[in-house]
Amino acid sequence: DYHRQMELAAEGLFAAGLDPKTDLAMNLFFAGGLYGGFLSFFTILEDLECPHFPMAAHADHQFVAKTIVKYKVNTLC
């Protein structure tokens, strides 16, 4: 069920305009502690073969912002 739900979510992101050929994503969801947002979006972006930074909810916001600018990340999850 998990993988089917992630496939459908990937189709939804693609339909909403995410283009894995041109977009660069950053996964900012929390990870661990039974919180599934990070893992779910990691799987979704992998299914789309979309390049992404698995940043998670990093506490150093300045580092996150600099990474977004430096690598021209244009999609935040």
Side-chain angles (χ1 to χ4, degrees), residues 26-41:
M26 181 178 283
N27 184 347
L28 295 169
F29 277 92
F30 282 92
L34 299 178
Y35 187 78
F38 179 83
L39 181 59
S40 296
F41 267 89

Side-chain angles (χ1 to χ4, degrees), residues 38-63:
F38 179 83
L39 181 59
S40 296
F41 267 89
F42 187 90
T43 303
I44 292 164
L45 294 168
E46 287 288 303
D47 285 350
L48 286 167
E49 297 181 8
C50 182
H52 61 279
F53 285 87
M55 186 66 71
H58 202 289
D60 186 346
H61 298 153
Q62 188 174 29
F63 169 72

Side-chain angles (χ1 to χ4, degrees), residues 18-19 22-26 68 71-76:
L18 180 68
D19 185 350
T22 59
D23 290 328
L24 178 58
M26 181 178 283
I68 290 168
Y71 293 100
K72 299 179 180 156
V73 173
N74 65 351
T75 304
L76 303 176

